[in-house]
Amino acid sequence: MNIKRPFWSPAGASAFILDWDGVIAETRLDFSPLREKYYGGRRAMLLEEAGTLEAGRREEFFRDLVELEMAGAESAEPVPGAFEMLKWLADNKIPYCILSRNCMEVIRRGAEKIGLTLPERTWGRDCMEWVKPDPRALRFAASQMGFQPRDCLYVGDFLYDLQGARRAGMRAVLVQRDEAAWRGWADAVYPRMEDFVAELRDPQPLVPWEYREICAKKGERWLSNAAGLTLAVPADPSPTTDCWVTRAAALGVGNFYVGAERALTPEEWKKNPSLDPALMGEPLAEVLRGFLETRYPLTRVVADATEAESGPKNSLDLQRFIERKRFV
């Protein structure tokens, strides 16, 4: 695969985190009876809001939930294309895990029904401290595989999958669905799993989620040219360092240089309260690297000043600067 920044493909992910129901096993679960019985028909987040139920009622809810899920597991079928996806992962030696809101008993039974040996790293709601869309669940799964969130791809079929991935700073694709209201959360949408497998086998360069707006306004040529820029972060940018860097990254700038001598001082942090106060005293380059990785994961904070150019101090002048440097 020869897809280079600023474009990407799901085939380039270092590790995959997979949802269970609707991605690997199709169980056709319908939670509306539970919402009617326990939440008056309101579209509640079932697990998260169970704590609002009286203790006895809560125990009854979880019994009903497991019963419903187990009934789905008994009739489970493989999602068309799911085994082909798993084979592609195996053939390309890409590690993967399964992360689900189902309980482990249900996942194991569903796996038996479809004839799948579960990977060692399979987590249900009853063996993790958090459940998606809590980003800590996804970050935990990534760390257990030995990867940073930015290197992982989450494959899911529901809004919670996409929300969890966005919050965790990882790529996410929606499969088996094409909900217009969810598209803004996904890096790519594949209405059928077979479509996703076809993309994995024949990767095409896609515009990353974080660059959709600038690409829609300026086009792919702008994005490609801006990604090749290395800008030195000014000593006293306007209005603030975090705003300047975010503005430049949003315009597609791919690389930033910060001198090794610069640190996040208390005075600097007071001007940039969105930066983590726990990092005061740390090299500013490391602080900005962490700041950018969940927002613009393809950007780089570089140590080599050779190709660094001095950009305008005012962030409002960055767009015109890029136009002059790359298009005049």
Side-chain angles (χ1 to χ4, degrees):
M1 186 178 69
N2 190 30
I3 296 176
K4 298 179 180 179
R5 288 194 306 151
F7 303 102
W8 81 287
S9 166
S14 299
F16 279 44
I17 303 176
L18 308 176
D19 186 24
W20 172 251
D21 185 44
V23 171
I24 300 176
E26 184 56 76
T27 59
R28 298 176 179 84
L29 296 179
D30 178 8
F31 295 108
S32 55
L34 293 182
R35 290 193 171 95
E36 287 291 339
K37 181 176 180 179
Y38 294 97
Y39 298 104
R42 180 171 56 86
R43 193 170 180 79
M45 294 184 72
L46 295 177
L47 301 179
E48 288 77 3
E49 297 190 44
T52 65
L53 302 173
E54 182 270 334
R57 188 77 166 156
R58 183 164 61 248
E59 292 175 4
E60 182 184 1
F61 163 77
F62 277 109
R63 286 195 299 270
D64 286 350
L65 176 60
V66 172
E67 181 179 340
L68 184 151
E69 291 175 332
M70 189 59 74
E74 291 294 340
S75 61
E77 299 174 352
V79 169
F83 278 78
E84 288 80 359
M85 174 185 65
L86 297 178
K87 183 179 186 303
W88 183 88
L89 291 171
D91 290 346
N92 289 274
K93 297 180 172 56
I94 296 176
Y96 75 93
C97 67
I98 293 172
L99 179 66
S100 175
R101 286 168 66 92
N102 289 149
C103 66
M104 282 303 303
E105 179 186 11
V106 166
I107 296 171
R108 292 191 185 100
R109 182 56 182 153
E112 291 175 0
K113 293 294 290 186
I114 67 173
L116 175 69
T117 299
L118 292 170
E120 179 182 352
R121 297 184 179 93
T122 298
W123 294 285
R125 65 171 178 265
D126 49 348
C127 58
M128 286 192 73
E129 186 175 351
W130 314 283
V131 294
K132 62 182 181 180
D134 191 319
R136 291 172 293 184
L138 281 77
R139 291 177 187 145
F140 171 82
S143 68
Q144 291 299 297
M145 291 191 292
F147 293 94
Q148 295 296 320
R150 66 186 291 171
D151 300 319
C152 297
L153 175 74
Y154 195 94
V155 183
D157 75 320
F158 192 66
L159 178 61
Y160 294 166
D161 303 317
L162 308 177
Q163 290 177 334
R166 286 270 78 85
R167 293 168 181 173
M170 65 178 60
R171 300 284 177 203
V173 297
L174 177 66
V175 296
Q176 295 292 105
R177 300 279 192 97
D178 191 7
E179 299 284 346
W182 300 354
R183 279 184 164 265
W185 292 90
D187 286 280
V189 178
Y190 301 93
R192 302 181 309 152
M193 176 62 79
E194 291 97 330
D195 301 326
F196 180 51
V197 173
E199 169 65 31
L200 295 176
R201 290 172 174 168
D202 183 22
Q204 302 300 313
L206 304 178
V207 175
W209 178 83
E210 62 271 21
Y211 296 133
R212 283 180 185 165
E213 287 78 9
I214 189 62
C215 190
K217 292 177 182 177
K218 295 292 187 178
E220 291 187 5
R221 180 167 171 256
W222 170 286
L223 190 57
S224 295
N225 289 341
L229 278 174
T230 300
L231 295 187
V233 179
D236 190 21
S238 173
T240 58
T241 301
D242 52 1
C243 180
W244 190 93
V245 169
T246 301
R247 170 69 172 163
L251 288 168
V253 173
N255 308 282
F256 296 91
Y257 169 74
V258 183
E261 73 285 354
R262 292 179 65 180
L264 181 63
T265 64
E267 292 74 20
E268 182 82 4
W269 178 80
K270 288 178 182 178
K271 299 176 186 177
N272 299 272
S274 64
L275 300 180
D276 188 346
L279 299 178
M280 278 190 278
E282 296 295 322
L284 186 59
E286 291 301 317
V287 175
L288 292 180
R289 186 172 289 114
F291 176 75
L292 286 167
E293 70 177 3
T294 58
R295 297 163 173 82
Y296 296 92
L298 295 180
T299 59
R300 299 290 181 266
V301 178
V302 300
D304 185 1
T306 305
E307 298 183 2
E309 303 184 48
S310 297
K313 294 185 64 174
N314 193 320
S315 64
L316 296 178
D317 297 329
L318 281 165
Q319 181 169 319
R320 181 58 184 156
F321 173 82
I322 295 172
E323 289 172 347
R324 291 198 307 269
K325 294 297 294 185
R326 292 307 198 200
F327 298 96
V328 176

